[in-house]
């Protein structure tokens, strides 16, 4: 099946994974359909890189691994997304391209992805049993929407604006908005 033909009919997870391994364009996979991903801006990359660097430093000497942009996360309903940053501390996945048990996911949004990141992905990511927090980072201004699971299993949300800092559950560390938006 050609990549073009695949865009117009529902695919199985296996078909998607096979197509994606050889595709020149990255696609997210939701409801059996492919959604081509657009490129990112320098600003987006700097923000994601700042977060990745801080989390990678915090993960040194722990069981946590930090991935940036090219490793897919598979949700319980078989959607596949490419988070900008993802932390996995316990994994049972043998697939070198896909994780199913992240503890932290970060998406840096632009005006074109804000709706997907703050509605569709919030709902999908919250269904991942291992997920402890989901951060939606604004690339235009210092603002982070933080969704986090309490010890009782409830999800809470808070908006951080300006000079805030907050605890990241895995690897345990503090992130500051100043660090996230450094060099911008």
């Amino acid at each position: 099946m050609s990549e073009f033909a695949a865009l117009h009919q529902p695919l199985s997870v296996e078909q998607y994974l096979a197509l994606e391994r050889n595709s020149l364009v990255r696609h997210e996979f939701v409801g059996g359909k492919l959604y081509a991903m657009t490129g990112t801006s320098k600003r987006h990359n700097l923000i994601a890189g700042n977060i990745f660097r801080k989390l990678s430093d915090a993960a040194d000497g722990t069981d946590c691994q930090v991935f940036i942009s090219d490793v897919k996360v598979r949700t319980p309903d078989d959607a596949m997304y490419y988070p900008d940053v993802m932390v996995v501390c316990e994994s049972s996945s043998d697939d070198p391209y896909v994780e199913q048990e992240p503890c932290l996911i970060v998406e840096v949004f632009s005006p074109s992805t804000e709706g997907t990141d703050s509605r569709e992905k919030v709902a999908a990511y919250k269904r991942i049993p291992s997920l402890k927090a989901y951060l939606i980072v604004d690339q235009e201004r210092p603002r982070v929407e933080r969704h986090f699971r309490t010890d009782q299993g409830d999800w809470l949300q808070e908006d951080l604006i300006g000079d805030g800092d907050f605890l990241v559950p895995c690897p345990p560390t503090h992130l500051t908005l100043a660090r996230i938006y450094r060099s911008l």
Side-chain angles (χ1 to χ4, degrees):
M1 176 185 316
S2 75
E3 189 172 324
F4 180 76
L7 294 172
H8 299 288
Q9 61 185 13
L11 298 174
S12 69
V13 170
E14 294 74 23
Q15 289 171 315
Y16 161 74
L17 291 171
L19 281 170
E20 196 67 5
R21 279 191 193 102
N22 299 313
S23 178
L24 298 176
V25 176
R26 292 185 318 156
H27 300 89
E28 292 187 325
F29 179 75
V30 180
K33 295 184 181 179
L34 298 177
Y35 295 90
M37 296 183 64
T38 61
T40 61
S41 68
K42 292 178 192 177
R43 185 175 181 86
H44 181 283
N45 260 289
L46 287 170
I47 292 167
N50 288 341
I51 295 167
F52 175 81
R53 186 174 26 244
K54 173 65 175 169
L55 295 176
S56 290
D57 288 346
D60 278 349
T62 73
D63 292 333
C64 297
Q65 295 180 307
V66 185
F67 302 102
I68 191 164
S69 73
D70 287 328
V71 175
K72 292 178 279 301
V73 63
R74 183 176 183 170
T75 67
D77 58 351
D78 289 332
M80 302 268 192
Y81 299 104
Y82 284 94
D84 291 310
V85 180
M86 176 171 49
V87 178
V88 178
C89 295
E90 295 179 25
S91 178
S92 60
S93 176
D94 292 331
D95 189 316
Y97 305 101
V98 179
E99 277 296 342
Q100 297 182 71
E101 300 173 274
C103 56
L104 174 67
I105 292 176
V106 179
E107 296 282 6
V108 179
F109 78 82
S110 64
S112 66
T113 65
E114 181 178 12
T116 301
D117 292 343
S118 63
R119 285 190 300 273
E120 174 187 314
K121 289 183 181 180
V122 167
Y125 290 161
K126 284 181 177 180
R127 288 192 293 271
I128 300 172
S130 61
L131 193 68
K132 296 178 180 178
Y134 171 43
L135 307 178
I136 305 170
V137 181
D138 190 329
Q139 78 171 352
E140 299 301 322
R141 61 189 174 107
R143 180 178 156 287
V144 174
E145 183 178 309
R146 178 176 166 249
H147 298 262
F148 58 99
R149 193 185 310 254
T150 66
D151 291 339
Q152 294 74 34
D154 299 318
W155 281 96
L156 300 177
Q157 185 224 324
E158 69 177 335
D159 289 332
L160 303 148
I161 299 171
D163 296 329
D165 87 69
F166 54 96
L167 180 65
V168 174
C170 58
T173 191
H174 280 270
L175 262 177
T176 65
L177 271 70
R179 173 71 186 237
I180 291 170
Y181 294 95
R182 189 173 84 186
S183 302
L184 296 176

